mmCIF file of all heavy atoms in Angstrom:
data_model
loop_
_atom_site.group_PDB
_atom_site.id
_atom_site.type_symbol
_atom_site.label_atom_id
_atom_site.label_comp_id
_atom_site.label_asym_id
_atom_site.label_seq_id
_atom_site.Cartn_x
_atom_site.Cartn_y
_atom_site.Cartn_z
ATOM 1 N N ALA A 166 0.841 -1.202 0.000
ATOM 2 C CA ALA A 166 0.000 0.000 0.000
ATOM 3 C C ALA A 166 0.872 1.247 0.000
ATOM 4 O O ALA A 166 1.746 1.407 0.846
ATOM 5 C CB ALA A 166 -0.931 -0.001 1.201
ATOM 6 N N SER A 167 0.625 2.124 -0.962
ATOM 7 C CA SER A 167 1.387 3.371 -1.042
ATOM 8 C C SER A 167 0.708 4.493 -0.277
ATOM 9 O O SER A 167 1.334 5.510 0.017
ATOM 10 C CB SER A 167 1.573 3.773 -2.508
ATOM 11 O OG SER A 167 0.313 3.884 -3.144
ATOM 12 N N SER A 168 -0.561 4.295 0.050
ATOM 13 C CA SER A 168 -1.306 5.298 0.802
ATOM 14 C C SER A 168 -2.372 4.601 1.635
ATOM 15 O O SER A 168 -3.046 3.688 1.144
ATOM 16 C CB SER A 168 -1.949 6.286 -0.171
ATOM 17 O OG SER A 168 -2.750 7.205 0.514
ATOM 18 N N LEU A 169 -2.508 5.018 2.886
ATOM 19 C CA LEU A 169 -3.506 4.424 3.772
ATOM 20 C C LEU A 169 -3.969 5.476 4.777
ATOM 21 O O LEU A 169 -3.137 6.142 5.400
ATOM 22 C CB LEU A 169 -2.922 3.229 4.518
ATOM 23 C CG LEU A 169 -3.802 2.593 5.587
ATOM 24 C CD1 LEU A 169 -5.086 2.016 4.988
ATOM 25 C CD2 LEU A 169 -3.037 1.519 6.330
ATOM 26 N N LYS A 170 -5.271 5.621 4.886
ATOM 27 C CA LYS A 170 -5.844 6.559 5.853
ATOM 28 C C LYS A 170 -7.077 5.917 6.473
ATOM 29 O O LYS A 170 -7.954 5.438 5.768
ATOM 30 C CB LYS A 170 -6.223 7.867 5.149
ATOM 31 C CG LYS A 170 -6.785 8.931 6.060
ATOM 32 C CD LYS A 170 -6.939 10.232 5.291
ATOM 33 C CE LYS A 170 -8.332 10.763 5.438
ATOM 34 N NZ LYS A 170 -8.594 11.984 4.688
ATOM 35 N N VAL A 171 -7.116 5.884 7.797
ATOM 36 C CA VAL A 171 -8.260 5.347 8.542
ATOM 37 C C VAL A 171 -8.763 6.455 9.455
ATOM 38 O O VAL A 171 -7.995 7.015 10.231
ATOM 39 C CB VAL A 171 -7.857 4.116 9.392
ATOM 40 C CG1 VAL A 171 -9.044 3.599 10.183
ATOM 41 C CG2 VAL A 171 -7.275 3.021 8.510
ATOM 42 N N VAL A 172 -10.064 6.772 9.356
ATOM 43 C CA VAL A 172 -10.640 7.854 10.145
ATOM 44 C C VAL A 172 -11.949 7.399 10.779
ATOM 45 O O VAL A 172 -12.822 6.843 10.096
ATOM 46 C CB VAL A 172 -10.915 9.097 9.273
ATOM 47 C CG1 VAL A 172 -11.519 10.225 10.100
ATOM 48 C CG2 VAL A 172 -9.640 9.570 8.589
ATOM 49 N N ASP A 173 -12.073 7.626 12.075
ATOM 50 C CA ASP A 173 -13.329 7.384 12.790
ATOM 51 C C ASP A 173 -14.258 8.545 12.442
ATOM 52 O O ASP A 173 -14.014 9.676 12.854
ATOM 53 C CB ASP A 173 -13.069 7.328 14.296
ATOM 54 C CG ASP A 173 -14.328 7.086 15.117
ATOM 55 O OD1 ASP A 173 -15.440 7.206 14.570
ATOM 56 O OD2 ASP A 173 -14.186 6.797 16.313
ATOM 57 N N ILE A 174 -15.304 8.279 11.668
ATOM 58 C CA ILE A 174 -16.220 9.344 11.247
ATOM 59 C C ILE A 174 -17.505 9.341 12.074
ATOM 60 O O ILE A 174 -18.482 9.988 11.722
ATOM 61 C CB ILE A 174 -16.541 9.253 9.738
ATOM 62 C CG1 ILE A 174 -17.127 7.898 9.365
ATOM 63 C CG2 ILE A 174 -15.298 9.563 8.918
ATOM 64 C CD1 ILE A 174 -17.635 7.815 7.943
ATOM 65 N N SER A 175 -17.466 8.640 13.198
ATOM 66 C CA SER A 175 -18.659 8.563 14.057
ATOM 67 C C SER A 175 -18.608 9.593 15.176
ATOM 68 O O SER A 175 -19.433 9.566 16.071
ATOM 69 C CB SER A 175 -18.780 7.168 14.658
ATOM 70 O OG SER A 175 -17.683 6.897 15.509
ATOM 71 N N GLY A 176 -17.629 10.462 15.140
ATOM 72 C CA GLY A 176 -17.503 11.449 16.200
ATOM 73 C C GLY A 176 -16.677 10.960 17.372
ATOM 74 O O GLY A 176 -16.693 11.542 18.444
ATOM 75 N N GLY A 177 -15.983 9.849 17.182
ATOM 76 C CA GLY A 177 -15.094 9.352 18.222
ATOM 77 C C GLY A 177 -15.588 8.133 18.971
ATOM 78 O O GLY A 177 -14.869 7.579 19.793
ATOM 79 N N CYS A 178 -16.814 7.686 18.692
ATOM 80 C CA CYS A 178 -17.335 6.537 19.444
ATOM 81 C C CYS A 178 -16.932 5.195 18.824
ATOM 82 O O CYS A 178 -17.155 4.149 19.416
ATOM 83 C CB CYS A 178 -18.850 6.636 19.601
ATOM 84 S SG CYS A 178 -19.782 6.353 18.096
ATOM 85 N N GLY A 179 -16.339 5.208 17.626
ATOM 86 C CA GLY A 179 -15.861 3.974 17.018
ATOM 87 C C GLY A 179 -16.923 3.159 16.302
ATOM 88 O O GLY A 179 -16.735 1.985 16.043
ATOM 89 N N ALA A 180 -18.045 3.787 15.962
ATOM 90 C CA ALA A 180 -19.131 3.051 15.313
ATOM 91 C C ALA A 180 -19.014 3.028 13.796
ATOM 92 O O ALA A 180 -19.511 2.122 13.143
ATOM 93 C CB ALA A 180 -20.478 3.650 15.707
ATOM 94 N N MET A 181 -18.318 4.019 13.212
ATOM 95 C CA MET A 181 -18.223 4.083 11.754
ATOM 96 C C MET A 181 -16.853 4.624 11.348
ATOM 97 O O MET A 181 -16.358 5.584 11.934
ATOM 98 C CB MET A 181 -19.321 4.976 11.178
ATOM 99 C CG MET A 181 -19.389 4.939 9.681
ATOM 100 S SD MET A 181 -20.979 5.562 9.119
ATOM 101 C CE MET A 181 -20.762 5.398 7.366
ATOM 102 N N TYR A 182 -16.272 4.000 10.350
ATOM 103 C CA TYR A 182 -14.942 4.378 9.885
ATOM 104 C C TYR A 182 -14.946 4.609 8.387
ATOM 105 O O TYR A 182 -15.766 4.053 7.657
ATOM 106 C CB TYR A 182 -13.925 3.272 10.218
ATOM 107 C CG TYR A 182 -13.647 3.181 11.681
ATOM 108 C CD1 TYR A 182 -14.449 2.412 12.513
ATOM 109 C CD2 TYR A 182 -12.606 3.889 12.253
ATOM 110 C CE1 TYR A 182 -14.219 2.346 13.870
ATOM 111 C CE2 TYR A 182 -12.362 3.831 13.612
ATOM 112 C CZ TYR A 182 -13.176 3.052 14.416
ATOM 113 O OH TYR A 182 -12.940 3.002 15.765
ATOM 114 N N GLU A 183 -13.986 5.423 7.965
ATOM 115 C CA GLU A 183 -13.747 5.650 6.550
ATOM 116 C C GLU A 183 -12.308 5.244 6.274
ATOM 117 O O GLU A 183 -11.398 5.657 7.001
ATOM 118 C CB GLU A 183 -13.977 7.116 6.211
ATOM 119 C CG GLU A 183 -13.845 7.404 4.728
ATOM 120 C CD GLU A 183 -14.324 8.803 4.391
ATOM 121 O OE1 GLU A 183 -15.550 9.032 4.417
ATOM 122 O OE2 GLU A 183 -13.461 9.655 4.123
ATOM 123 N N ILE A 184 -12.130 4.428 5.251
ATOM 124 C CA ILE A 184 -10.808 3.912 4.906
ATOM 125 C C ILE A 184 -10.492 4.287 3.462
ATOM 126 O O ILE A 184 -11.297 4.052 2.563
ATOM 127 C CB ILE A 184 -10.762 2.377 5.065
ATOM 128 C CG1 ILE A 184 -10.931 2.007 6.540
ATOM 129 C CG2 ILE A 184 -9.474 1.807 4.494
ATOM 130 C CD1 ILE A 184 -11.144 0.536 6.772
ATOM 131 N N HIS A 185 -9.324 4.880 3.286
ATOM 132 C CA HIS A 185 -8.792 5.164 1.952
ATOM 133 C C HIS A 185 -7.502 4.372 1.836
ATOM 134 O O HIS A 185 -6.593 4.545 2.651
ATOM 135 C CB HIS A 185 -8.480 6.656 1.794
ATOM 136 C CG HIS A 185 -9.689 7.524 1.844
ATOM 137 N ND1 HIS A 185 -10.288 8.008 0.709
ATOM 138 C CD2 HIS A 185 -10.418 7.989 2.886
ATOM 139 C CE1 HIS A 185 -11.335 8.744 1.053
ATOM 140 N NE2 HIS A 185 -11.429 8.745 2.368
ATOM 141 N N ILE A 186 -7.439 3.503 0.838
ATOM 142 C CA ILE A 186 -6.223 2.709 0.660
ATOM 143 C C ILE A 186 -5.890 2.605 -0.826
ATOM 144 O O ILE A 186 -6.755 2.341 -1.656
ATOM 145 C CB ILE A 186 -6.354 1.308 1.316
ATOM 146 C CG1 ILE A 186 -5.059 0.511 1.174
ATOM 147 C CG2 ILE A 186 -7.545 0.559 0.790
ATOM 148 C CD1 ILE A 186 -4.999 -0.743 2.034
ATOM 149 N N GLU A 187 -4.629 2.850 -1.123
ATOM 150 C CA GLU A 187 -4.128 2.762 -2.489
ATOM 151 C C GLU A 187 -3.022 1.714 -2.499
ATOM 152 O O GLU A 187 -2.057 1.823 -1.746
ATOM 153 C CB GLU A 187 -3.575 4.124 -2.909
ATOM 154 C CG GLU A 187 -3.135 4.189 -4.338
ATOM 155 C CD GLU A 187 -2.675 5.584 -4.700
ATOM 156 O OE1 GLU A 187 -3.529 6.458 -4.915
ATOM 157 O OE2 GLU A 187 -1.432 5.797 -4.767
ATOM 158 N N SER A 188 -3.193 0.693 -3.329
ATOM 159 C CA SER A 188 -2.204 -0.380 -3.353
ATOM 160 C C SER A 188 -2.141 -1.025 -4.732
ATOM 161 O O SER A 188 -3.171 -1.226 -5.394
ATOM 162 C CB SER A 188 -2.574 -1.459 -2.319
ATOM 163 O OG SER A 188 -1.645 -2.523 -2.381
ATOM 164 N N SER A 189 -0.938 -1.371 -5.136
ATOM 165 C CA SER A 189 -0.763 -2.074 -6.412
ATOM 166 C C SER A 189 -1.357 -3.481 -6.343
ATOM 167 O O SER A 189 -1.593 -4.110 -7.370
ATOM 168 C CB SER A 189 0.723 -2.128 -6.786
ATOM 169 O OG SER A 189 1.453 -2.779 -5.770
ATOM 170 N N GLU A 190 -1.635 -3.953 -5.139
ATOM 171 C CA GLU A 190 -2.248 -5.271 -4.974
ATOM 172 C C GLU A 190 -3.688 -5.303 -5.502
ATOM 173 O O GLU A 190 -4.256 -6.369 -5.709
ATOM 174 C CB GLU A 190 -2.226 -5.679 -3.493
ATOM 175 C CG GLU A 190 -0.797 -5.943 -3.029
ATOM 176 C CD GLU A 190 -0.602 -5.700 -1.548
ATOM 177 O OE1 GLU A 190 -0.859 -4.569 -1.088
ATOM 178 O OE2 GLU A 190 -0.173 -6.642 -0.864
ATOM 179 N N PHE A 191 -4.266 -4.140 -5.752
ATOM 180 C CA PHE A 191 -5.616 -4.055 -6.298
ATOM 181 C C PHE A 191 -5.633 -4.064 -7.824
ATOM 182 O O PHE A 191 -6.694 -4.126 -8.434
ATOM 183 C CB PHE A 191 -6.321 -2.784 -5.814
ATOM 184 C CG PHE A 191 -6.539 -2.730 -4.331
ATOM 185 C CD1 PHE A 191 -6.337 -1.550 -3.642
ATOM 186 C CD2 PHE A 191 -6.949 -3.846 -3.607
ATOM 187 C CE1 PHE A 191 -6.543 -1.462 -2.276
ATOM 188 C CE2 PHE A 191 -7.158 -3.782 -2.241
ATOM 189 C CZ PHE A 191 -6.961 -2.589 -1.573
ATOM 190 N N LYS A 192 -4.453 -4.006 -8.432
ATOM 191 C CA LYS A 192 -4.365 -3.932 -9.892
ATOM 192 C C LYS A 192 -5.055 -5.139 -10.539
ATOM 193 O O LYS A 192 -4.858 -6.281 -10.127
ATOM 194 C CB LYS A 192 -2.907 -3.869 -10.333
ATOM 195 C CG LYS A 192 -2.743 -3.586 -11.803
ATOM 196 C CD LYS A 192 -1.296 -3.364 -12.169
ATOM 197 C CE LYS A 192 -1.219 -2.992 -13.638
ATOM 198 N NZ LYS A 192 0.127 -2.668 -14.036
ATOM 199 N N GLY A 193 -5.889 -4.850 -11.532
ATOM 200 C CA GLY A 193 -6.590 -5.907 -12.255
ATOM 201 C C GLY A 193 -7.863 -6.385 -11.574
ATOM 202 O O GLY A 193 -8.566 -7.241 -12.103
ATOM 203 N N LYS A 194 -8.170 -5.849 -10.409
ATOM 204 C CA LYS A 194 -9.381 -6.252 -9.681
ATOM 205 C C LYS A 194 -10.433 -5.161 -9.806
ATOM 206 O O LYS A 194 -10.123 -3.974 -9.804
ATOM 207 C CB LYS A 194 -9.050 -6.501 -8.216
ATOM 208 C CG LYS A 194 -8.158 -7.708 -8.003
ATOM 209 C CD LYS A 194 -7.864 -7.902 -6.532
ATOM 210 C CE LYS A 194 -7.083 -9.159 -6.256
ATOM 211 N NZ LYS A 194 -5.936 -9.400 -7.066
ATOM 212 N N ARG A 195 -11.682 -5.584 -9.925
ATOM 213 C CA ARG A 195 -12.785 -4.622 -9.935
ATOM 214 C C ARG A 195 -12.936 -4.011 -8.550
ATOM 215 O O ARG A 195 -12.465 -4.578 -7.558
ATOM 216 C CB ARG A 195 -14.087 -5.323 -10.349
ATOM 217 C CG ARG A 195 -14.055 -5.817 -11.804
ATOM 218 C CD ARG A 195 -15.272 -6.615 -12.141
ATOM 219 N NE ARG A 195 -15.267 -7.791 -11.253
ATOM 220 C CZ ARG A 195 -16.347 -8.447 -10.861
ATOM 221 N NH1 ARG A 195 -17.528 -8.087 -11.263
ATOM 222 N NH2 ARG A 195 -16.254 -9.487 -10.066
ATOM 223 N N THR A 196 -13.606 -2.877 -8.489
ATOM 224 C CA THR A 196 -13.786 -2.179 -7.213
ATOM 225 C C THR A 196 -14.425 -3.080 -6.169
ATOM 226 O O THR A 196 -13.991 -3.109 -5.016
ATOM 227 C CB THR A 196 -14.637 -0.905 -7.414
ATOM 228 O OG1 THR A 196 -13.980 -0.067 -8.371
ATOM 229 C CG2 THR A 196 -14.806 -0.143 -6.122
#
């Protein structure tokens, strides 16, 4: 992974997260 970001978007209670990940391991795979 060349880029990775994990953010708790629930206001800090840990109920919902947003993940952004960029990796060459995804090459050739559909979303």
Side-chain angles (χ1 to χ4, degrees):
S167 56
S168 176
L169 174 63
K170 182 172 128 182
V171 178
V172 180
D173 180 347
I174 57 172
S175 64
C178 71
M181 188 162 180
Y182 289 86
E183 184 170 287
I184 294 170
H185 295 261
I186 182 168
E187 185 177 283
S188 178
S189 58
E190 292 153 302
F191 296 139
K192 189 173 184 176
K194 293 180 175 48
R195 294 174 298 153
T196 302

